[in-house]
Amino acid sequence: MFDSSTTCEELSHPLWNRETTPGSLADLLQGFEPRRRLLKPKSHVFRAGQAAGSVFLVNSGIFKTCLATSDGRERITGFRLRGDLMGMESLGQEVHSSDAVALATGEVWEYTRQQLSAAGPQVQQRLANELASEIRRDWRWMLDIGSLCAEKRVVAFLLDLGARLQAMGFSGRHLSLHMTRSEIGNFLALQLETVVRAMSRLQLLGLIAVDGREIELRDTVGLSRMLSVSPSERLRAA
Amino acid sequence: MFDSSTTCEELSHPLWNRETTPGSLADLLQGFEPRRRLLKPKSHVFRAGQAAGSVFLVNSGIFKTCLATSDGRERITGFRLRGDLMGMESLGQEVHSSDAVALATGEVWEYTRQQLSAAGPQVQQRLANELASEIRRDWRWMLDIGSLCAEKRVVAFLLDLGARLQAMGFSGRHLSLHMTRSEIGNFLALQLETVVRAMSRLQLLGLIAVDGREIELRDTVGLSRMLSVSPSERLRAA
DNA sequence: CGAATTGTTGATACGTCTCAAAAATAGTGG
DNA sequence: CCACTATTTTTGAGACGTATCAACAATTCG
């Protein structure tokens, strides 16, 4: 078990609050002042059914986007970190079709439809690229969820989150999941108990260290190796 | 069993071959002559790794788009009909990240990067909307695959295909799946045997009639009703 | 501090996968 | 057109992984 005094420290880490532009989209939009919204945990950035048009750039914190059906089913479509865009999937729609909820205190920058269209073709282009990369991300998760067993899905999830945090300047080894086991399971199409069991086993194998929502990736190469499927499984999704 | 003389008739149905523009994208692009490519069954429109840039509008036939990993896993990301776009997910990428394969003889219209950018902001806008709607579609399938049992997934698949064909002017009752059970299973994250069993049972229940790849939706309301989850299952994905 | 939420582990049930074998269908070349 | 092969579809039996249910511990929150 690693030092648990780091619990929830990352949110107050200076990098999370730096005022530099996180992605090239904000670079392109300099001159257009976004509306800045500070979000408390569990508060909504937007809800399905609300008027759409703006896109929200995550500046700090961590958010989830979810889809719900009339018959009560619900699905988390992604966890969004600094630099990620939310709300673009409603482009061309009158209203949002999904929710965006803060998992921790954070800030989003809202760019209105007007700002985006006034910003010129370069921004349009950039936005289309972001949409395309969201599709590639989604397809990748559809692939993983369809062809990996529970344990491997959890590994893929942890490695993905670690890599994204690392790309933001963090260690990538120590991550604090700000979401519940249930939310992880929902995203990975697993029950929360299955997520718990997978993590327990990964800890037993010495690959990770679990302390509540603080996870240490003890052996990233070992974790990555887990993802290369065994010969018997190679045929599964083929 | 319904009259099997309709087998494969739909592909030669006049509607499939009409020369009118199928979607509003082609409307907007009038004046820009696309390169028309006739595809034989099993031939590729494009492959992962090939130079990207063009988008392909399905004019006739039916296609699948698939994603593959280095470790041999493979996943069909969607089945594309007349009016659907393929290749947009590679926007902003040097090369394609997925494959597009014809399941039957069909035609695609290729619009090059140059044509698209020369066509003006309206087309860019429209393209972005298409990307957004692909994301919503993907999210919807991720939700269904994560929260529906095998049988319901198959029902959702059949109803979706039926509705799309109906929107194209077909009956929506008689559909010829031009894909194998294995491909359906791959898309729905199921084994082909499970797809077969689901269809057999649906036939037993009198909801559909199966004759090879020809399916008749005998009771669309009954099928739809199946999708409204039982109270016990309501809690599953929550 | 109590109350609600979240996390953990166990025992069991159930759905889907896996393996196998055969039938049906499609594709190929003589 | 037929014979021949390869592919696809179908059904069965059993194994396996994950869901489900339950109980309790740990944590968070008002």
Side-chain angles (χ1 to χ4, degrees), chain B residues 4 52 55 82 87 102 112 129 156 160-161 166 171 174-175 188 196 218 227 234:
Chain B
S4 65
V55 300
R82 175 178 176 81
T112 64
N129 290 354
D160 175 70
L161 204 55
Q166 190 161 40
S171 77
H174 297 268
L175 28 139
L188 295 175
V196 168
R218 287 192 158 285
L227 287 182
R234 187 156 309 203

Side-chain angles (χ1 to χ4, degrees), chain A residues 75 89 136 142 147 186 237, chain B residues 75 89 136 142 186 237:
Chain A
R75 180 75 191 267
E89 72 285 351
R136 292 193 300 272
M142 287 170 77
S147 59
N186 183 297
Chain B
R75 179 74 191 270
E89 74 284 351
R136 292 192 300 272
M142 286 169 77
N186 183 297

Side-chain angles (χ1 to χ4, degrees), chain A residues 173-190:
Chain A
R173 255 179 90 81
H174 298 269
L175 29 138
S176 64
L177 320 168
H178 289 276
M179 70 288 294
T180 67
R181 304 287 192 263
S182 174
E183 286 169 328
I184 297 173
N186 183 297
F187 178 66
L188 295 176
L190 296 171

